[in-house]
């Protein structure tokens, strides 16, 4: 059963999931392996995840589209609905830039995601893939609209994670980027955001300075060759995700297996691979 009714009316179950998501960030370090469809969400849940985060890149690829806001609101909400329907965990959805520049459009996206069963959302301040960023006041207004929309939809507990792409896209002089992020963090906190996501920032010293000064809990993104969970946690980061990392690994494994079959004719499989029975059991509802 979906965490919310098709009408978008919030259920006690969804409110509990949103509160659980908030507690996971407040009480420790939340590690989020990112899912891209219902199947990957169920596999991640079976591995012991406490919550599920989506990746816009992975969701886009699974639907035959490229990343960078090439999907629309309806497609992302439907993907969120399918994911939330197969796990008993809080689901936080990567809503990219909110599928519209205006605060009213962001509000519409939040209403759709709450109706789909989202307990949290990520909203970024990039006006387009690669930049530019929305001016601070404009992004704050967009976040305030998201906060108000969640309350109006019956889910004031929705966790709004404000993503800033200052480091990801190298906005402004390098020496001024931390100060720019802190200005944005303060404005986003006043607008009602619950967390700050700074992809592209993996310098542990800078992360520690950010965590010490930010009014919001900080979310960092790592990946192959990046800092470990323990290293990031030591800086004060409260939430750690991997973006498209797991989707890349899964698609790479499929590519290798297909190339092997088409090349040598062999199917050796991967060490520790889940079998048909194990996978099928995850979806028997």
């Amino acid at each position: 059963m979906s965490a919310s009714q098709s009408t978008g009316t919030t259920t006690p179950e969804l409110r509990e999931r949103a509160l659980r998501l908030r507690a996971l960030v407040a009480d420790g370090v939340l590690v989020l392996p990112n899912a891209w469809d219902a199947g990957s969400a169920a596999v991640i849940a079976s591995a012991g995840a406490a919550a599920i985060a989506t990746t816009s890149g992975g969701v886009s690829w699974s639907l035959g589209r490229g990343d960078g806001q090439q999907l629309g609101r309806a497609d992302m909400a439907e993907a969120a609905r399918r994911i939330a329907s197969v796990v008993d965990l809080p689901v936080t959805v990567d809503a990219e830039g909110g599928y519209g520049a205006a605060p009213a459009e962001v509000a519409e996206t939040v209403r759709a995601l709450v109706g789909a069963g989202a307990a949290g959302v990520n909203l970024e301040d990039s006006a387009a893939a690669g930049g530019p960023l929305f001016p601070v006041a404009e992004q704050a207004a967009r976040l305030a609209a998201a906060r108000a929309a969640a309350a109006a939809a019956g889910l004031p507990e929705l966790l709004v994670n404000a993503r800033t792409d200052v480091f990801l896209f190298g906005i402004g002089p390098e020496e001024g980027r931390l100060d720019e992020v802190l200005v944005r963090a303060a404005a986003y906190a006043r607008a009602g955001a619950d967390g700050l996501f700074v992809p592209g920032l993996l310098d542990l010293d800078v992360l520690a300075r950010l965590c010490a000064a930010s009014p919001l809990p900080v979310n960092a993104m790592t990946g192959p060759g990046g800092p470990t969970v323990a290293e990031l946690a030591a800086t004060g980061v409260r939430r750690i995700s991997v973006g498209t990392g797991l989707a890349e690994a899964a698609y790479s494994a499929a590519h290798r297996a297909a190339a092997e079959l088409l090349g040598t004719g062999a199917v050796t499989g991967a060490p520790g691979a889940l079998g048909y029975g194990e996978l099928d059991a995850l979806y028997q509802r």
Side-chain angles (χ1 to χ4, degrees):
M1 180 181 294
S2 173
S4 62
Q5 305 292 340
S6 61
T7 60
T9 301
T10 302
T11 64
E13 179 188 10
L14 181 54
R15 295 191 73 178
E16 186 278 329
R17 290 187 186 187
L19 288 170
R20 201 187 331 161
L21 182 62
R22 287 176 169 275
L24 287 167
V25 176
D27 297 342
V29 178
L30 176 58
V31 180
L32 291 164
N34 299 77
W36 58 96
D37 60 11
S40 61
V43 168
I44 290 167
S46 75
I52 300 292
T54 71
T55 159
S56 66
V59 172
S60 297
W61 298 341
S62 75
L63 296 175
R65 302 292 293 275
D67 194 15
Q69 305 193 56
Q70 294 190 36
L71 284 186
R73 177 184 300 113
D75 284 332
M76 192 58 76
E78 177 58 20
R81 184 198 64 75
R82 288 194 297 268
I83 289 169
S85 73
V86 299
V87 296
D88 296 320
L89 301 173
V91 174
T92 178
V93 177
D94 179 354
E96 303 189 84
Y99 307 110
E105 293 174 296
V106 175
E108 185 176 350
T109 294
V110 168
R111 287 192 295 271
L113 293 177
V114 169
V121 295
N122 268 26
L123 289 166
E124 62 198 51
D125 56 12
S126 294
L133 307 190
F134 286 101
V136 176
E138 288 186 26
Q139 182 63 9
R142 286 158 39 83
L143 290 166
R147 179 87 277 151
L155 191 64
E157 302 89 349
L158 182 81
L159 194 154
V160 177
N161 204 35
R163 170 176 144 174
T164 181
D165 289 338
V166 171
F167 280 91
L168 184 64
F169 297 140
I171 304 297
E174 184 175 0
E175 63 275 12
R177 288 174 193 161
L178 177 58
D179 287 341
E180 175 65 18
V181 168
L182 287 171
V183 167
R184 288 178 176 269
Y188 298 171
R190 290 192 297 270
D194 301 298
L196 180 71
F197 181 25
V198 193
L201 174 56
L202 291 175
D203 183 307
L204 297 177
D205 290 336
V206 177
L207 266 173
R209 290 162 58 197
L210 172 61
C211 291
S214 173
L216 296 169
V218 175
N219 178 177
M221 182 174 71
T222 191
T228 65
V229 167
E231 289 171 332
L232 289 170
T235 70
V237 165
R238 305 302 297 273
R239 174 169 156 161
I240 300 166
S241 54
V242 293
T244 58
L246 294 190
E248 291 173 38
Y251 286 125
S252 295
H255 181 271
R256 285 193 299 271
E260 180 184 38
L261 177 63
L262 295 169
T264 67
V267 183
T268 57
L274 297 174
Y276 170 86
E278 293 171 287
L279 286 168
D280 194 58
L282 297 177
Y283 312 110
Q284 298 295 335
R285 308 289 273 182

